[in-house]
Amino acid sequence: MTCVWEGKVVEEYFVIILRTLFLYVMIIFIFRIMGKREIGELSILDLVVFMMIAEMAVMAIEEPEDPIIHTVLPMGVIVLIQILFAWFSLRSKSFRELLDGKPTVIIHNGKIDDKAMKKQRYNYDDLLLQLREKDIFNVADVEFAILEPSGKLSVLQKDKKTPHSLTLPLILDGQVQTTHLDMIGKTSFWLRKELRERGFKNVQEIAFCSFQNGQFYIDEKNQ
């Protein structure tokens, strides 16, 4: 009986080792499919997916008697959903903002936007902490500060750039960014007029357009 029991224990350990190796390779493959992003730049959706996959892998290893297909199948479904969402995100800015959110200007021309901070539930302690992490100890030294969808704060200092040198997209995926036009004191009519003079008659054919230091950068969509 002892030999039989020991044989079952060894077999169970062997199954656990095989499952661990299999799931390890599978998770690496899944993460490669989902694309390259730094940990600090993961969206909420990415974090949820990673947590679910990790939890499924742990349960599969802890329960060697459960068929491995019970883990592989839901993992495959999650990856398929993630790929479909990524595909839609590439083709729709609205869908992308719905999933990942969009950047929020916290400091504009050296002035803190309290309304934007409240909307993002972002307080002054958070702001000062992230500024200190960038070796900025005085808010007065900041020209622009943008809270990215990942929670990272992008900062442009006054002593490094001239005012209004921040590159703001005026068109993204064929859609005019009226908020950014307001920030630089321009209108949609002005933008369309400038584009027509440069030979761009249809805004929807433009993937990206910015205006900086009196010059346009325009990138058309691939046909």
Side-chain angles (χ1 to χ4, degrees):
M1 292 294 293
T2 302
C3 293
V4 174
W5 181 80
E6 289 180 351
K8 289 183 177 180
V9 172
V10 172
E11 182 181 353
E12 182 176 333
Y13 286 164
F14 183 70
V15 171
I16 291 175
I17 292 173
L18 286 180
R19 280 176 172 246
T20 302
L21 293 174
F22 173 76
L23 291 170
Y24 175 77
V25 173
M26 184 175 179
I27 290 175
I28 291 178
F29 176 71
I30 288 174
F31 288 175
R32 289 297 299 270
I33 290 177
M34 291 171 59
K36 298 179 180 179
R37 280 196 183 185
E38 294 182 8
I39 296 299
E41 296 179 353
L42 295 178
S43 67
I44 295 176
L45 183 62
D46 292 330
L47 289 174
V48 170
V49 169
F50 288 177
M51 290 173 62
M52 290 181 66
I53 290 177
E55 185 67 21
M56 290 177 188
V58 170
M59 292 177 62
I61 294 172
E62 290 180 345
E63 301 178 6
E65 295 181 359
D66 188 42
I68 193 68
I69 189 63
H70 290 175
T71 300
V72 174
L73 181 60
M75 279 187 177
V77 172
I78 290 175
V79 172
L80 179 60
I81 292 173
Q82 186 75 348
I83 292 174
L84 287 174
F85 279 3
W87 186 84
F88 283 117
S89 295
L90 289 173
R91 285 156 178 77
S92 172
K93 181 176 181 295
S94 300
F95 187 80
R96 185 165 62 246
E97 291 180 351
L98 178 64
L99 291 181
D100 297 335
K102 58 182 179 179
T104 302
V105 178
I106 300 297
I107 300 177
H108 177 222
N109 290 336
K111 184 177 180 181
I112 298 175
D113 190 335
D114 296 323
K115 291 183 179 179
M117 290 182 63
K118 290 179 181 179
K119 186 176 180 181
Q120 298 299 320
R121 292 181 292 279
Y122 186 78
N123 56 53
Y124 283 94
D125 290 333
D126 296 330
L127 175 62
L128 295 175
L129 172 62
Q130 290 192 289
L131 288 177
R132 288 195 298 270
E133 290 176 346
K134 298 180 179 297
D135 296 325
I136 302 173
F137 298 92
N138 190 350
V139 179
D141 295 335
V142 179
E143 182 70 24
F144 288 96
I146 300 176
L147 185 64
E148 307 292 351
S150 64
K152 179 181 177 181
L153 189 70
S154 300
V155 179
L156 183 71
Q157 292 180 253
K158 289 181 179 179
D159 58 344
K160 292 186 177 181
K161 298 289 183 179
T162 58
H164 303 296
S165 63
L166 181 67
T167 301
L168 293 173
L170 304 183
I171 297 176
L172 282 176
D173 294 333
Q175 297 181 12
V176 177
Q177 307 300 299
T178 54
T179 303
H180 294 168
L181 283 171
D182 292 338
M183 290 176 60
I184 64 173
K186 303 295 183 180
T187 64
S188 178
F189 176 79
W190 168 85
L191 176 61
R192 294 175 187 275
K193 178 176 177 294
E194 293 290 332
L195 292 175
R196 283 196 299 270
E197 292 178 355
R198 290 164 175 77
F200 300 95
K201 298 181 180 179
N202 190 353
V203 173
Q204 295 181 350
E205 295 179 355
I206 298 176
F208 180 88
C209 171
S210 64
F211 181 71
Q212 184 178 13
N213 299 328
Q215 294 185 347
F216 279 93
Y217 174 83
I218 303 171
D219 181 42
E220 292 184 90
K221 292 182 179 180
N222 294 327
Q223 301 298 328

